[in-house]
Amino acid sequence: MAFLLRRLVFYMAAFIAAATINFFLPRLMPGDPVQIMFSSAGTELPPESLQALKLTFGFVDGPLWQQYLTYLGSIFTGDLGRSIKYFPLPVTSVLGHALVWTVGLMGTATIVSFALGTFLGIVAAWRRGSKFDVIVSVGAIFATSVPAVVTSLIVLFIFGFTLGWFPNGYAADPSLDPAFSLQYIGSLAYHGILPMVTLCTVLIGGFTVTMRNNMINLLGEDYIVMARAKGLSDRHVMLWYAARNALLPTVSSLAIAIGTILGGSLVTEVVYNYPGLGNILYQAILARDYPVIQGQLLIMTATMLIANFIVDVSYVMLDPRLKGA
């Protein structure tokens, strides 16, 4: 319990540090950054929104410490200002709508990749040197080495343009109204296949390589040899003696993957015109929508820290030695 409390305090301090950087960064810019952002928006931003933009970055009347406290208060109350590109929508509304799409797509892809990659890594390590091990290892390294944008374009070209099996973009058929119906849900699943295949291809290699290497390092340990000498079945030794202990570093990889869910799907979402956070971030960068960019960076930071805390809890559950730490 003390271990988790220390980690929780550390993550809270890390989040406040990230928010502090977000506060001071605009102030290190030459000139008046808020006025520059407002001017760059042109006619897209009405004059009355200038004050909202100042509040977003903490540029309010008063001494610096007072501005800083106001800025922190707005973060913890969920007030991230208003979007420039999607004015007058608040940033939380813009990001909240896109968050649902990204979590649905990236969350599912991450879970599937983790489960499948971990299983392949376990079997490949247990059958080290076999044809299965060679095929899985080479395939995993190749999948990890290819950039996400290349994988996205290859999948889109083959299955979208050449074979025409799946749609080339959008999260659902644009002619359908969003509704809780079989037709709309089927359209969502149909349009999500290519982005899902792309993300799984990108993610699965890392999980497979990490799990295989961890397993191989443990197979020579004395307790593994002892378990085999006791006559336990191969499946029992593989899953309960080797895989369980080799899983800890893989869980760390899962935390990193979860932490990058909100920003790591940028390329895939842009290629498939998927309405998630990655696509919103890309559009915000093009439009210099700084409130949305700043809000998404804070959400990404919070997500990464929460994911790491969940991993710490998993560590305590998987490794009994940490329970007394």
Side-chain angles (χ1 to χ4, degrees):
M1 192 65 183
F3 169 77
L4 292 179
L5 286 176
R6 287 198 300 270
R7 301 298 292 174
L8 185 61
V9 171
F10 170 77
Y11 292 138
M12 286 295 297
F15 179 76
I16 293 176
T20 302
I21 293 174
N22 262 349
F23 173 79
F24 284 103
L25 201 57
R27 287 160 178 76
L28 297 177
M29 298 179 183
D32 186 346
V34 175
Q35 191 63 49
I36 293 174
M37 298 171 196
F38 184 78
S39 301
S40 64
T43 57
E44 296 180 4
L45 203 62
E48 57 270 23
S49 62
L50 177 60
Q51 187 60 29
L53 192 60
K54 287 184 176 180
L55 289 172
T56 301
F57 288 89
F59 284 91
V60 295
D61 295 332
L64 189 62
W65 66 267
Q66 190 174 356
Q67 296 180 31
Y68 178 65
L69 293 179
T70 303
Y71 170 74
L72 287 182
S74 65
I75 290 176
F76 287 103
T77 55
D79 182 11
L80 300 179
R82 296 190 179 276
S83 166
I84 295 175
K85 179 176 175 60
Y86 303 99
F87 189 86
L89 290 177
V91 172
T92 51
S93 176
V94 174
L95 296 180
H97 181 265
L99 180 67
V100 177
W101 294 103
T102 295
V103 170
L105 177 66
M106 279 293 292
T108 306
T110 302
I111 293 172
V112 171
S113 303
F114 176 75
L116 191 56
T118 301
F119 172 76
L120 291 175
I122 292 173
V123 178
W126 194 256
R127 300 180 179 178
R128 183 173 46 173
S130 65
K131 289 183 180 179
F132 180 85
D133 179 32
V134 173
I135 293 173
V136 169
S137 299
V138 173
I141 293 174
F142 180 77
T144 307
S145 305
V146 178
V149 62
V150 176
T151 304
S152 300
L153 293 176
I154 290 175
V155 173
L156 180 63
F157 176 76
I158 295 176
F159 298 101
F161 289 111
T162 304
L163 299 177
W165 289 354
F166 301 101
N168 302 325
Y170 302 109
D173 189 342
S175 64
L176 297 177
D177 293 327
F180 192 72
S181 63
L182 288 178
Q183 186 182 17
Y184 188 72
I185 293 174
S187 179
L188 288 177
Y190 186 46
H191 281 72
I193 289 177
L194 287 189
M196 184 73 68
V197 169
T198 301
L199 291 171
C200 287
T201 304
V202 172
L203 293 172
I204 195 170
F207 292 127
T208 302
V209 172
T210 302
M211 192 63 194
R212 179 184 178 276
N213 293 339
N214 296 337
M215 280 280 291
I216 290 177
N217 290 333
L218 291 176
L219 290 179
E221 294 290 334
D222 293 339
Y223 67 91
I224 300 291
V225 178
M226 177 64 71
R228 283 175 162 168
K230 290 166 63 177
L232 298 177
S233 66
D234 284 350
R235 178 178 296 182
H236 189 84
V237 176
M238 180 178 68
L239 296 179
W240 291 101
Y241 283 76
R244 183 179 179 183
N245 292 301
L247 195 60
L248 287 177
T250 311
V251 172
S252 298
S253 301
L254 176 63
I256 296 174
I258 292 175
T260 57
I261 277 179
L262 302 186
S265 61
L266 189 150
V267 171
T268 304
E269 290 183 357
V270 170
V271 169
Y272 293 100
N273 197 19
Y274 204 82
L277 285 174
N279 205 358
I280 288 293
L281 180 60
Y282 174 70
Q283 299 297 334
I285 293 172
L286 291 181
R288 296 188 180 182
D289 192 345
Y290 290 97
V292 170
I293 297 172
Q294 189 181 38
Q296 182 152 346
L297 291 178
L298 282 175
I299 292 177
M300 290 167 62
T301 302
T303 305
M304 178 70 78
L305 296 175
I306 292 173
N308 277 279
F309 182 70
I310 293 174
V311 169
D312 289 335
V313 174
S314 304
Y315 267 37
V316 173
M317 296 175 64
L318 293 171
D319 190 349
R321 293 173 297 180
L322 291 176
K323 290 182 179 178

